Amino acid sequence: MPQSVTVRVERPAGRPFRIWIPVLPVALVCAPVVVLVVLVAAVACLAYRVSVVRALGTGWRVVAALPGTRVDVEQGRTAVLVTIR
């Protein structure tokens, strides 16, 4: 599971700034919403006759594979770099 997310924004006018976001506290705050999303996903799996256990397992594998992911977005002279550790 990812431990932190770093967001770096480079602007043409001024210094770039960085934001570090710890994943665990954010996940704990969002836990009630996550529970509702999992329940809705389970109902959708049942409606479309997809194995609920297999779907949730696949979702967990995607989340577990996120550390090491790096996303770079550039628009004009502004750039945003997101790194998941």
Side-chain angles (χ1 to χ4, degrees), residues 6-39:
T6 304
V7 179
R8 182 175 180 197
V9 179
E10 296 178 3
R11 299 171 292 168
R15 298 183 323 169
F17 67 92
R18 222 177 256 175
I19 302 170
W20 289 276
I21 304 168
V23 173
L24 185 60
V26 173
L28 290 175
V29 169
C30 295
V33 175
V34 171
V35 170
L36 290 175
V37 169
V38 168
L39 290 175

Side-chain angles (χ1 to χ4, degrees), residues 33-58:
V33 175
V34 171
V35 170
L36 290 175
V37 169
V38 168
L39 290 175
V40 169
V43 169
C45 286
L46 292 173
Y48 287 102
R49 297 183 183 181
V50 175
S51 171
V52 175
V53 174
R54 194 172 216 183
L56 293 177
T58 302

